[in-house]
Amino acid sequence: MRINSLRLQLLAWVVLPLVGLATINLWTSHRNALATADLVTDRMLMGSARAIAERVAVADGVLDATVPPAAIEMFDTGDRDSVYYRVETAAGRLLTGYPDLPEAPRHASVEAPYRDHQLRLLTLGHAVIGAGGDSPITVTVGVTLAGHDAMVKRLWFSAFAQQLALVAIAGVFVLLGLRRGLAPLMRLRDAVRSPNRSDLDPVEVPGAQSEIRPLIDALNVYMERVRAQMAAQRRFIANAAHQLRTPLALLSTQASYALRESAADARHEALVALQASSGKLARLAEQLLTLSRAEPGSRRPRADRIDLTEAARHVLETQAPAAIARNIDLGLEEAGPVPVTGDGTMLREMIVNLVDNALRYSPVGGRVTVSLAALDGEAVLTVADNGPGIPADEREHVFERFYRVAGSSEQGSGLGLAIVREVVENAGGHVTLGDGAAGGLVVEVRLPLA
């Protein structure tokens, strides 16, 4: 089952490795406890065998073996162990003890079964003064493993309790640390969900760690994009309401006039005017929508690879009927593909607005030339016409929305160049206005080559 809690995931990442390490440590602790118990038992066996061997002596020419009580009592640890012993001469004659007791290698301990018990045995050789051929004697001592096993359990359970306490304490401290460490995230949550936040202002979380700071910055950047989109929507609504009010009133007036006219010629004239006004209104609505899409934050960024030459050729084909109607020489000068990266739809709309503006302001029988070239890593698009041009002191203002040059006879919305600049700047380029060699206006757009 997947854990969706960050606190539980972090706790698991810390505690589970600790549990694994504790398990390995418990295994090694058991081996160490077993080795310790073996060592203690062997020392006791050696001490018991040495105590028995030292009491073996020759008395009145007879080799006598007396087992001291201390040699047996040293195994009295409360675990009810049974002790077995055997003392033999060098020839194998039994002096005392259990004759069938197994023998262990000299000065080494072994475990062997005896009388339904598992014994730990140790054999000690000892020289007896005056014993003659009976020397050295052999003393074997064996003890059951109840005390040995109890010692292993006590040592291992002690290590187990320590490891368990260590993991538990580590878990408590990790939980406390996570609670303190995740406090900035909780403050960030509270700041975002606060009912006092009516605007998309940047969120500030004092004391946020360096790992959380990128999240806060990303959230603030996202809210900035949302603010930009909302501002773009508000501007679009305001611009549309302002700009559509007059054309709609004009359409209503013209429609009312056409309905009142009884003369066929006057009605036809009113209907023609109505048709022209509706066309201008449609063009205005189209440009308003284009401007809304061109604003930063209103569309998801795109990185289309398009050929400006091919896009310009397509635009000129669609604009050719308007140029023919006014006898304008509409031409394209290009030397091959000019690839750029950006929003393909908006870049084509940019070319449409440039060519449409040039055709509108060029006189009947005039000339509009679109040129494309790749220079110094940049795509250069130039649209030149032989119209009235734009005075130098007004060239910056014409990029403003709904701005129109004073005294202009051509009816327009004042949005064409505003759209062009928005599109060009979003694509990482720039646009400039200049004078043509034979008069008119030259618009130059420079974009990074793909």
Side-chain angles (χ1 to χ4, degrees):
M1 181 179 66
R2 185 175 180 180
I3 301 176
N4 291 323
S5 170
L6 177 61
R7 184 181 284 106
L8 291 179
Q9 287 183 3
L10 293 175
L11 181 64
W13 276 105
V14 174
V15 173
L16 290 181
L18 279 179
V19 171
L21 292 175
T23 302
I24 297 174
N25 201 10
L26 286 175
W27 179 73
T28 58
S29 297
H30 184 269
R31 292 177 61 87
N32 292 335
L34 186 62
T36 301
D38 289 346
L39 178 63
V40 171
T41 303
D42 290 348
R43 293 290 176 86
M44 294 172 64
L45 289 171
M46 179 64 71
S48 177
R50 195 177 299 279
I52 294 173
E54 289 176 353
R55 295 295 298 269
V56 177
V58 178
D60 300 329
V62 178
L63 188 64
D64 180 55
T66 303
V67 178
I72 306 301
E73 291 173 355
M74 66 174 59
F75 294 98
D76 186 11
T77 59
D79 298 303
R80 298 182 179 181
D81 274 317
S82 299
V83 182
Y84 302 92
Y85 55 88
R86 185 181 68 194
V87 181
E88 293 180 336
T89 63
R93 180 170 59 88
L94 179 68
L95 296 179
T96 185
Y98 300 86
D100 57 342
L101 184 67
E103 185 175 350
R106 295 291 179 93
H107 303 284
S109 61
V110 295
E111 291 186 7
Y114 180 69
R115 294 188 179 182
D116 299 328
H117 297 291
Q118 190 73 10
L119 300 184
R120 191 167 184 86
L121 300 152
L122 185 142
T123 299
L124 174 69
H126 182 72
V128 179
I129 298 174
D134 290 333
S135 181
I137 63 170
T138 301
V139 179
T140 300
V141 180
V143 63
T144 55
L145 299 178
H148 174 276
D149 294 343
M151 184 184 303
V152 172
K153 290 180 180 179
R154 285 194 295 270
L155 292 174
W156 187 78
F157 276 118
S158 175
F160 176 79
Q162 293 176 0
Q163 298 298 323
L164 184 62
L166 177 64
V167 173
I169 293 172
V172 171
F173 276 103
V174 168
L175 281 176
L176 294 176
L178 287 176
R179 182 176 180 180
R180 185 176 182 86
L182 295 177
L185 276 179
M186 300 300 102
R187 292 200 297 271
L188 174 61
R189 178 202 62 188
D190 295 338
V192 172
R193 296 171 57 182
S194 173
N196 298 325
R197 287 182 56 83
S198 57
D199 297 326
L200 295 173
D201 297 326
V203 177
E204 290 297 333
V205 181
Q209 298 93 333
S210 58
E211 291 81 4
I212 301 178
R213 179 58 56 184
L215 173 62
I216 299 174
D217 294 340
L219 181 61
N220 288 334
V221 170
Y222 176 75
M223 289 194 295
E224 177 64 29
R225 292 209 310 266
V226 173
R227 283 200 303 273
Q229 291 178 352
M230 293 176 64
Q233 291 177 353
R234 286 195 294 268
R235 286 195 301 269
F236 172 73
I237 293 172
N239 292 335
H242 175 72
Q243 293 298 318
L244 294 176
R245 185 182 298 114
T246 300
L248 287 173
L250 179 60
L251 282 176
S252 178
T253 302
Q254 290 174 335
S256 299
Y257 178 78
L259 288 173
R260 289 197 306 268
E261 287 295 330
S262 58
D265 293 341
R267 178 177 294 180
H268 180 267
E269 182 180 352
L271 290 175
V272 169
L274 181 62
Q275 184 182 37
S277 297
S278 63
K280 292 178 181 179
L281 181 60
R283 174 62 179 169
L284 174 60
E286 181 183 347
Q287 287 196 307
L288 282 171
L289 289 173
T290 301
L291 180 61
S292 175
R293 293 195 300 267
E295 286 187 329
S298 61
R299 285 164 59 92
R300 179 178 297 177
R302 294 175 58 180
D304 304 326
R305 182 185 176 92
I306 68 167
D307 179 12
L308 280 185
T309 302
E310 183 62 30
R313 184 179 293 111
H314 178 71
V315 170
L316 265 59
E317 290 175 356
T318 59
Q319 295 288 336
I324 294 172
R326 299 184 58 197
N327 195 27
I328 294 176
D329 180 11
L330 180 61
L332 175 65
E333 295 180 356
E334 49 90 6
V338 180
V340 296
T341 302
D343 190 322
T345 302
M346 300 311 298
L347 288 172
R348 294 184 187 93
E349 193 65 31
M350 171 201 69
I351 302 174
V352 169
N353 278 274
L354 287 175
V355 175
D356 180 73
N357 272 1
L359 291 175
R360 283 175 179 274
Y361 290 95
S362 294
V364 176
R367 183 179 65 257
V368 174
T369 304
V370 179
S371 303
L372 282 155
L375 299 174
D376 301 326
E378 289 185 319
V380 181
L381 168 68
T382 303
V383 179
D385 62 62
N386 61 345
I390 299 175
D393 56 349
E394 295 198 53
R395 288 176 183 169
E396 185 60 29
H397 295 294
V398 295
F399 289 109
E400 299 173 4
R401 299 172 186 183
F402 308 110
Y403 183 86
R404 291 179 49 76
V405 177
S408 175
S409 59
E410 181 62 32
Q411 295 296 321
S413 62
L415 292 175
L417 290 178
I419 293 172
V420 169
R421 184 162 68 174
E422 290 284 358
V423 174
V424 171
E425 290 181 351
N426 286 344
H430 59 277
V431 56
T432 56
L433 305 181
D435 295 321
L441 180 68
V442 177
V443 183
E444 183 182 80
V445 173
R446 287 182 176 262
L447 298 170
L449 277 176

